[in-house]
Amino acid sequence: MGIVIPHVRARRDVDEAIRAGRYAPQGMRSLNGGRGPGYGLIDPVEYLASANAEIMVIPLIEDAEGVDGIDEILAGGGVDMVLPGPGDLSQSYGVPWQTRDPKVQEAVRRVQAARVEHGVPFAAMRRTPEKQLEWRGAGVRAFVLGEERDLAARALRDHLDGLRRA
């Protein structure tokens, strides 16, 4: 029910995603029928209205250029949530995988501050319970909990550690 747009650097990236991801009048997504409108069981006009209301457009800010343009990106409307990409931001700022580097942390804070100004929800990367509490204190209610491969790897490591201790 959502479209995460990678490497959003400017408002035009969001506008193109809205055009491709939403139906008229907000966009020009293809009207090809099928699974969405229940294979003919849902009135197509009703489906278009409900799909446009439910589909989330989420820009992923992964580049310094996107951080610099964040106000323009969010000001144009049509953005349902914004998500920072600290890993790719670290690369963009010349410190690959150093997500705690002050430049990267400041970039994430700039995105978060802009989202407050524009009234757009923000999804934070939460790696520790302490970080989640910090973000909650800043009014954030949506969190990326990790990718499936990271979660599976962590669960396997924990399981192996438990077996080794047994």
Side-chain angles (χ1 to χ4, degrees):
M1 296 307 293
I3 301 164
V4 176
I5 312 148
H7 293 285
V8 170
R9 296 177 183 96
R11 179 63 204 191
R12 71 180 172 277
D13 299 329
V14 173
D15 290 339
E16 289 171 8
I18 291 169
R19 182 172 169 77
R22 291 206 171 112
Y23 298 102
Q26 291 128 348
M28 287 304 290
R29 182 175 174 174
S30 173
L31 291 178
N32 185 17
R35 187 175 61 139
Y39 300 101
L41 297 176
I42 301 170
D43 178 84
V45 174
E46 289 177 25
Y47 170 73
L48 298 182
S50 66
N52 276 349
E54 293 173 359
I55 293 169
M56 295 180 70
V57 173
I58 306 167
L60 181 52
I61 309 300
E62 303 176 279
D63 304 275
E65 189 179 351
V67 174
D68 291 342
I70 192 65
D71 283 313
E72 177 188 344
I73 289 167
L74 298 180
V79 172
D80 299 294
M81 181 177 286
V82 65
L83 176 64
D88 284 322
L89 280 169
S90 71
Q91 179 169 261
S92 181
Y93 284 105
V95 289
W97 283 121
Q98 297 175 48
T99 58
R100 290 185 177 92
D101 184 279
K103 292 178 275 195
V104 177
Q105 292 296 302
E106 175 58 24
V108 171
R109 282 191 294 274
R110 284 180 61 192
V111 172
Q112 202 275 341
R115 78 89 188 174
V116 170
E117 182 178 325
H118 296 283
V120 174
F122 177 87
M125 300 287 181
R126 167 231 163 286
R127 298 290 185 211
T128 66
E130 296 79 23
K131 195 66 177 170
Q132 184 168 352
L133 286 174
E134 181 183 325
W135 280 119
R136 281 198 178 280
V140 175
R141 297 296 178 259
F143 296 92
V144 175
L145 302 177
E147 295 176 336
E148 68 281 354
R149 66 181 179 266
D150 294 336
L151 295 170
R154 187 175 308 124
L156 286 170
R157 280 192 304 273
D158 290 347
H159 180 70
L160 285 173
D161 287 346
L163 291 173
R164 289 182 185 123
R165 287 190 300 268

